[in-house]
Amino acid sequence: MFEIFLFVNPIGVYCYDTEVSVKKTVDELDISSSFHFIPITNSKVIRDDIIRRKTCGQTINDIPEYTMAAYQALRNYHAIKLKYGNKKARSYLVNLQRAVSKNFSVYSQNLPKSVAVDLGLNYKRICDPKINKYIDDSIEQDKELARKFNIQTIPTTIFFNESGDDNGLLVEGTIAHDKLLALLKNIYCNEPQKEEQEKEQVGNSYRPRRHLRLM
């Protein structure tokens, strides 16, 4: 059983690709897994994604709109998690990311509502101001988790093997499917020479760390 933590920008261009790659790899290896999405938004995360989008040929003409979209997606995710549960919240985030990952110019003020309605969600419930305090508390819990794991880059993925020890594998940024596949096959090999081989395979994009298990 793998416990997987995905720290993502709720509208990040690389985050959707990372989520798809991780899910594909887990399915291919037929690994029983539990996913935890932790959307993170701050000025650095927003700036990094805008730069990545420019590198991919996208143009963000309205940075304030992009910033508001990121924070709205973050709050909607937590509202849906509170009202409908984790599975619906993850579906909302993935569908929203899919819509804007290749071209943010398709974003409009109606897009978040459209994505929610397509999932059978009541958007008025999501936007209910009565739950703002609970949303704030939920966001703060995720921030605390990011601090606990010392997350420096978004996206970042952490893998725990519940049948192994407390060693978690932290993967920063994106990683090619074939290299992630090879990495997960050998994730808990304790032989030092094997760990060095794995580092050569994936470069500096990951680092094993010992973490306290999240209880």
Side-chain angles (χ1 to χ4, degrees):
M1 177 70 173
F2 274 61
E3 192 172 16
I4 302 171
F5 295 83
L6 290 159
F7 292 84
V8 299
N9 177 339
I11 58 172
V13 63
Y14 286 175
C15 294
Y16 175 70
D17 294 338
T18 298
E19 292 155 15
V20 170
S21 178
V22 170
K23 185 67 166 60
K24 179 180 179 182
T25 303
V26 168
D27 289 345
E28 190 170 331
L29 292 174
D30 195 23
I31 295 172
S32 177
S33 59
S34 172
F35 282 87
H36 305 276
F37 276 43
I38 303 94
I40 300 292
T41 297
N42 55 46
S43 59
K44 180 182 182 301
V45 170
I46 289 170
R47 182 176 64 252
D48 289 348
D49 192 58
I50 289 174
I51 292 172
R52 289 166 181 164
R53 287 180 182 274
K54 287 182 177 178
T55 302
C56 295
Q58 296 188 40
T59 301
I60 307 295
N61 294 319
D62 193 338
I63 293 178
E65 179 187 49
Y66 176 92
T67 301
M68 288 188 292
Y71 279 100
Q72 181 181 19
L74 177 69
R75 296 191 69 82
N76 284 354
Y77 169 85
H78 285 276
I80 294 169
K81 185 168 71 169
L82 289 166
K83 291 289 188 178
Y84 294 96
N86 289 323
K87 186 174 181 179
K88 284 291 187 181
R90 290 196 298 268
S91 295
Y92 174 81
L93 206 61
V94 169
N95 284 319
L96 183 63
Q97 288 174 340
R98 182 187 295 121
V100 300
S101 64
K102 302 302 180 184
N103 184 8
F104 183 75
S105 66
V106 304
Y107 183 86
S108 70
Q109 293 184 357
N110 291 326
L111 181 61
K113 180 178 180 179
S114 176
V115 171
V117 170
D118 287 346
L119 291 171
L121 309 179
N122 184 330
Y123 198 63
K124 287 184 178 180
R125 291 189 68 197
I126 297 169
C127 298
D128 185 355
K130 293 179 182 178
I131 63 172
N132 281 344
K133 180 185 181 302
Y134 302 101
I135 292 173
D136 292 340
D137 290 344
S138 185
I139 291 173
E140 187 56 39
Q141 289 173 19
D142 279 358
K143 287 181 180 180
E144 180 58 34
L145 189 62
R147 287 190 289 266
K148 176 181 177 180
F149 286 134
N150 192 27
I151 302 302
Q152 301 293 325
T153 301
I154 299 295
T156 286
T157 310
I158 297 177
F159 300 89
F160 284 114
N161 185 348
E162 293 191 340
S163 62
D165 55 23
D166 284 341
N167 281 325
L169 184 72
L170 184 150
V171 180
E172 291 185 331
T174 59
I175 182 170
H177 168 66
D178 59 335
K179 295 189 175 182
L180 182 58
L181 194 66
L183 186 59
L184 288 186
K185 284 181 179 179
N186 299 293
I187 191 172
Y188 290 105
C189 178
N190 292 319
E191 298 176 12
Q193 65 270 26
K194 187 65 176 181
E195 292 180 358
E196 290 302 317
Q197 292 173 3
E198 291 172 6
K199 290 180 182 179
E200 291 175 3
Q201 286 181 333
V202 300
N204 295 321
S205 61
Y206 89 98
R207 55 182 185 276
R209 288 181 175 174
R210 179 170 294 279
H211 295 287
L212 294 175
R213 290 308 304 272
L214 182 67
M215 301 301 292

